[in-house]
Amino acid sequence: MQLMPGTARGLGVDPYDPAQNIEGGTKYLAIQLNRFGSLELALAAYNAGPGRVLNLRYLYISETQNYIRNVPALASKYQRQFAAAGLPTN
């Protein structure tokens, strides 16, 4: 996960501690999902910031557009790999 220093502080996690980083990143993504109500907008907020989602500026950021497209594809890929290895996928 990648957390900005202020976001990590706000979540009360150390971004350099792997377990805390994952906990903070997943919590922040869940907050954005609750706030925006769709995975696409939550991913945009995680990547570009919620302010850019609110004013639609994320639409013009190619990195964010790629992120929105790639994350669900990668999640699906890893779920299939976990399932094939007999590991839980949720």
Side-chain angles (χ1 to χ4, degrees):
M1 311 296 293
Q2 198 171 22
L3 297 171
M4 297 301 288
T7 301
R9 271 192 307 278
L11 294 167
V13 298
D14 175 357
Y16 300 106
D17 177 288
Q20 288 185 39
N21 181 284
I22 292 169
E23 181 181 331
T26 54
K27 183 177 181 179
Y28 186 67
L29 184 57
I31 290 167
Q32 300 312 318
L33 188 54
N34 279 338
R35 181 177 188 181
F36 292 105
S38 80
L39 182 59
E40 179 178 319
L41 293 177
L43 290 171
Y46 186 94
N47 182 262
R52 289 192 175 109
V53 172
L54 291 171
N55 65 23
L56 303 179
R57 286 188 306 193
Y58 78 96
L59 294 170
Y60 308 103
I61 303 171
S62 60
E63 175 189 328
T64 300
Q65 293 306 306
N66 289 332
Y67 188 81
I68 292 168
R69 191 171 32 259
N70 290 335
V71 168
L74 289 171
S76 178
K77 172 187 171 182
Y78 292 121
Q79 285 176 338
R80 287 191 306 274
Q81 289 179 350
F82 283 14
L87 300 170
T89 59
N90 55 1

